[in-house]
Amino acid sequence: MEEVRASSAWVASRASHVVVDSSGIEKVMETIEGSIPKVEWDFEGIHYFDGGPLTVQYLFVLDALNFCFWPDKDLSYDHLASGLKDALLNDESAFDADRLQKYTGPQLRELLKWPRPLPLEDERLRLLHEVGVELERSFGGKASNLVESSGKSAVKLVALVTRHFPGFRDHSIYKGHQIFLYKRAQIFAADLWGAFKGQGYGELHDIGAITIFADYIVPAVLRQLGVLKYSSALASTIEANSEIASGSEEEVELRACSVYAVEKMRELLSKKLGKQVLSVELDLWLWSCGIQCPSLQHHRTLSIYY
């Protein structure tokens, strides 16, 4: 994940719309006494878990579809996670590779019990079909085989996912340089680690290599904490709920500066506590803060990556 860290730092050093405030980071670190506030992976009980390969299949389908909820004010990540969980409880073959290749829009809505077209529904179907085809072609139809191919390495798992599944290749061009963020590929590794509590399919010896997952919520929380500062033009765009184009300088800076800022937070916290702090743990804490604050205003971008 060094390419994610390095390219995010490159953006942060050249950003004109988003600034990482070092004093803001230090203030936040002063408020954390002893350890990061602990947040369990499934703290709302919304995920499927049976301790076996079916959970891995569930998580991979979940993270293939885990993007862009904002155009529908009623839809959230919780609806997706719990809807897929219920679908699997009703029919354990719902996410078999051959079936993933054939879902239609109405069938996906029925699976999630959602009454109207999903945001970016055609893209969600395309990615679902892609997952089914490639799992069948290269991994015997099972995401658990994909995970086993990684040799218990989160870094290798992210590389495998982005190599085999184009829909997970989350990168963009910023001022002539390629910037890597890999939100959904990394969150798949983190979800495995969290769900299986670092054991079995979740045993990833280098989970510390994973960065945070640059999405809508984390930048907004970091701004609220005083870690990120926005230009007046960007702040006005977000406050007006105006769309920010995918791949624009503003959008790349929001995401990359979030990764860079949390890496700085992690480094400071590790020194303060005298032990390794995981970006995964910081992300869970920041994300849980965000979703518990309904009034939090986030940027709006139509993207398949987050």
Side-chain angles (χ1 to χ4, degrees):
M1 296 300 91
E2 285 315 302
E3 60 189 4
V4 176
R5 288 182 170 84
S7 60
S8 293
W10 196 90
V11 172
S13 70
R14 292 159 178 81
S16 52
H17 307 281
V18 181
V19 173
V20 179
D21 188 326
S22 299
S23 63
I25 291 175
E26 288 170 8
K27 284 176 187 171
V28 173
M29 292 302 95
E30 286 168 11
T31 66
I32 298 176
E33 295 297 333
S35 65
I36 308 162
K38 189 68 178 169
V39 180
E40 289 296 324
W41 175 79
D42 196 19
F43 68 98
E44 291 185 310
I46 56 174
H47 297 99
Y48 177 87
F49 185 79
D50 70 350
L54 201 53
T55 296
V56 182
Q57 197 86 351
Y58 163 81
L59 290 174
F60 198 49
V61 171
L62 171 65
D63 290 327
L65 298 176
N66 180 10
F67 59 86
C68 204
F69 302 102
W70 67 263
D72 189 326
K73 62 183 176 61
D74 299 318
L75 185 66
S76 70
Y77 171 79
D78 289 13
H79 291 110
L80 179 66
S82 58
L84 294 175
K85 172 185 176 180
D86 290 344
L88 208 48
L89 290 172
N90 290 332
D91 179 1
E92 288 193 353
S93 68
F95 303 151
D96 285 1
D98 60 335
R99 290 186 62 183
L100 292 176
Q101 298 171 44
K102 298 170 186 168
Y103 276 110
T104 64
Q107 287 171 334
L108 180 56
R109 280 175 244 152
E110 186 180 352
L111 203 68
L112 298 174
K113 297 185 175 64
W114 200 249
R116 54 188 172 271
L118 295 153
L120 297 183
E121 186 172 284
D122 288 347
E123 288 292 272
R124 284 186 155 88
L125 289 171
R126 182 177 68 81
L127 297 180
L128 207 55
H129 298 165
E130 176 186 282
V131 164
V133 168
E134 187 58 20
L135 282 180
E136 187 170 71
R137 179 166 54 204
S138 299
F139 300 101
K142 297 185 181 301
S144 56
N145 291 336
L146 164 67
V147 173
E148 286 172 349
S149 300
S150 72
K152 302 185 188 303
S153 166
V155 171
K156 189 174 178 186
L157 180 58
V158 171
L160 280 168
V161 169
T162 53
R163 184 186 313 147
H164 284 274
F165 302 90
F168 283 85
R169 291 175 195 160
D170 176 8
H171 44 80
S172 28
I173 302 298
Y174 175 84
K175 296 184 178 178
H177 284 250
Q178 196 162 20
I179 309 303
F180 304 91
L181 293 165
Y182 293 152
K183 187 260 185 182
R184 290 193 289 105
Q186 290 199 85
I187 210 170
F188 175 55
D191 280 348
L192 285 166
W193 176 78
F196 289 91
K197 301 192 183 304
Q199 304 296 315
Y201 290 111
E203 186 184 346
L204 299 167
H205 62 78
D206 54 356
I207 191 66
I210 297 295
T211 71
I212 63 150
F213 321 118
D215 63 359
Y216 301 101
I217 300 295
V218 171
V221 174
L222 290 173
R223 184 192 184 201
Q224 190 176 58
L225 292 172
V227 170
L228 295 184
K229 297 197 181 305
Y230 298 170
S231 68
S232 57
L234 177 57
S236 297
T237 300
I238 292 171
E239 284 155 16
N241 289 327
S242 298
E243 187 178 334
I244 294 173
S246 179
S248 65
E249 285 194 4
E250 292 89 339
E251 190 241 4
V252 174
E253 288 181 17
L254 281 162
R255 301 183 70 209
C257 288
S258 296
V259 172
Y260 177 75
V262 176
E263 285 303 300
K264 291 297 165 192
M265 290 169 69
R266 183 185 61 77
E267 289 167 13
L268 274 177
L269 203 50
S270 292
K271 285 179 187 172
K272 179 179 178 180
L273 302 178
K275 63 180 182 181
Q276 185 190 31
V277 173
L278 301 178
S279 297
V280 174
E281 295 172 313
L282 280 168
D283 187 276
L284 258 178
W285 168 54
L286 292 166
W287 185 76
S288 66
C289 289
I291 61 167
Q292 291 172 51
C293 181
S295 62
L296 191 71
Q297 274 195 298
H298 60 71
H299 72 282
R300 293 171 178 259
T301 296
L302 287 170
S303 170
I304 67 167
Y305 297 122
Y306 63 102

